[in-house]
Amino acid sequence: MQLQEILFSQGFGTRRVCAGLVQQGFVTLAGVPCTEPAMEFIADGLRFTVQGVAWAYHEKAYLMLHKPAGYECSQKPSTYPSIYTLLPAPIRQRGGGAAAGVQAVGRLDQDTTGLLLLSDDGKFIHRMSSPRHHVPKVYEVTAKHPVDAQQVQKLLAGVVLDDDPKPVRAAACEQTSELQLSLTLTEGKYHQVKRMIAAVGNRVEGLHRSRIGSLVLPADLNPGEWRWLTAQDLASITASAAQR
């Protein structure tokens, strides 16, 4: 694969821009500048630097982000900044064209924090977000009023939301303190956690997603930080979806 095409696929600009980066000596491999845009390389596993920034080739992007509060999961946010501003430009520009960059796998409200997956692999996004696969998602809920056993039982038994007569139920629910619950859902209805908590007579004051499938938000990934999924992460979470 030509070096300029590798850079283009990774989001470093148009083909002309990528060729220019190479010609001007801004791209190095193993510390050696490469100034020939058409030079061929095996892309898989290739590591290089662009203007001093280390990069590794990824055919498809699979990321996790620790979403902070005060960000919208939208390319065109209305009130708050977009989560995509937390990512480096190449991640946002991968592939070029109208569908450039990664997309969030589902959404979290602007005031909800925690684990968010992003990818440019349409099949992966569909598999992880489709209700048919029932991928479990764990939320840590802080309630306004004290939680009791009756509320927990109602959430497990199922509550009716205003847009669907069919009850929705938590796959698991555990009270972790006077005001906190650990709630597992396998669906993704609009504002589902907040509406379920309201349906049992309480109110969500804080909401944090700690796990998707088998993938747990790492303790060392701070709010606003992101990282690539490892091959093990990807295999594990894909298996979570395939088993359902």
Side-chain angles (χ1 to χ4, degrees):
M1 190 173 180
Q2 291 185 357
L3 184 55
Q4 61 187 353
E5 288 296 322
I6 291 173
L7 295 184
F8 173 72
S9 73
Q10 301 302 287
F12 285 96
T14 65
R15 288 180 171 84
R16 178 174 292 183
V17 167
C18 291
L21 288 170
V22 177
Q23 290 169 340
Q24 295 173 65
F26 291 134
V27 181
T28 63
L29 291 92
V32 179
C34 179
T35 57
E36 177 47 62
M39 186 172 287
E40 299 262 346
F41 293 90
I42 297 173
D44 190 34
L46 186 68
R47 294 180 178 274
F48 51 93
T49 65
V50 181
Q51 295 179 305
V53 178
W55 206 261
Y57 175 84
H58 290 83
E59 182 179 2
K60 292 289 185 181
Y62 305 97
L63 317 174
M64 68 169 76
L65 170 72
H66 186 164
K67 180 191 173 295
Y71 283 81
E72 294 183 28
C73 293
S74 173
Q75 297 280 10
K76 298 179 180 179
S78 58
T79 306
Y80 298 88
S82 168
I83 56 161
Y84 298 101
T85 63
L86 299 170
L87 303 173
I91 296 291
R92 303 196 306 269
Q93 299 165 178
R94 283 177 61 91
V102 297
Q103 305 295 322
V105 181
R107 294 190 174 196
L108 294 177
D109 297 339
Q110 64 82 16
D111 56 348
T112 301
T113 63
L115 180 59
L116 186 67
L117 300 179
L118 303 104
S119 181
D120 58 359
D121 181 346
K123 290 182 179 180
F124 173 80
I125 293 171
H126 175 74
R127 185 163 63 247
M128 295 305 303
S129 57
S130 171
R132 186 167 61 89
H133 291 286
H134 300 290
V135 178
K137 300 174 180 67
V138 180
Y139 297 87
E140 313 306 328
V141 182
T142 301
K144 182 175 183 178
H145 308 293
V147 177
D148 58 39
Q150 186 178 25
Q151 291 176 9
V152 171
Q153 288 307 311
K154 285 182 178 179
L155 291 167
L156 289 169
V159 296
V160 176
L161 305 181
D162 55 15
D163 63 346
D164 190 348
K166 183 180 178 181
V168 293
R169 57 182 56 85
C173 184
E174 178 186 1
Q175 183 175 356
T176 54
S177 73
E178 182 184 17
L179 294 173
Q180 293 183 310
L181 289 169
S182 180
L183 187 69
T184 302
L185 302 180
T186 57
E187 300 172 273
K189 293 179 179 290
Y190 180 70
H191 287 170
Q192 184 172 348
V193 175
K194 294 177 180 178
R195 294 161 67 203
M196 289 180 70
I197 298 299
V200 300
N202 213 322
R203 177 176 172 175
V204 172
E205 290 289 286
L207 189 58
H208 177 82
R209 186 159 68 191
S210 59
R211 180 166 67 88
I212 299 174
S214 57
L215 188 63
V216 176
L217 180 67
D220 62 348
L221 190 66
N222 296 318
E225 293 182 346
W226 69 277
R227 69 177 56 159
W228 297 97
L229 295 188
T230 66
Q232 183 178 359
D233 290 335
L234 188 59
S236 178
I237 198 167
T238 301
S240 299
Q243 291 168 3
R244 297 174 182 275

